[in-house]
Amino acid sequence: MLLVLKIFAFALLAAGALTVFGARWLVSKYNLDRNMKVEHEYEMSGEEIEQYKYNKAVINVKMLGMIILLPGLILLLVLFK
């Protein structure tokens, strides 16, 4: 049972790390920046808005990756105590 939990923890770590490091690729492949909303859009030019949407989408994907990674890290800390 302990071995299964260790494998699960490493799988969560790997999935989270791949999501964090592949965030830019994921955003550009699936066009995730199209769905981003911009507050104060009237204060920026068109190019700044596109860059802002892209950066916001990348940050959101990286945060999701960290949320995936965190339970695996906690599980590893508990298992190898």
Side-chain angles (χ1 to χ4, degrees):
M1 181 66 180
L2 205 57
L3 181 63
V4 173
L5 287 176
K6 288 179 183 179
I7 291 171
F8 183 65
F10 280 115
L12 282 174
L13 279 175
L18 285 174
T19 305
V20 169
F21 290 121
R24 291 189 184 272
W25 179 78
L26 287 170
V27 168
S28 46
K29 177 166 172 72
Y30 295 110
N31 295 323
L32 298 175
D33 53 344
R34 284 195 223 159
N35 301 332
M36 294 294 116
K37 295 182 182 178
V38 179
E39 295 178 10
H40 309 292
E41 189 172 351
Y42 57 89
E43 295 178 358
M44 295 184 243
S45 67
E47 183 178 314
E48 288 175 337
I49 291 172
E50 293 301 318
Q51 188 68 29
Y52 178 79
K53 285 182 176 182
Y54 180 77
N55 287 335
K56 188 174 178 181
V58 168
I59 293 296
N60 285 342
V61 171
K62 285 185 182 238
M63 291 295 287
L64 177 67
M66 291 303 290
I67 290 172
I68 294 169
L69 189 132
L70 187 62
L73 183 65
I74 292 171
L75 189 57
L76 274 180
L77 289 173
V78 170
L79 288 175
F80 288 107
K81 185 175 178 183

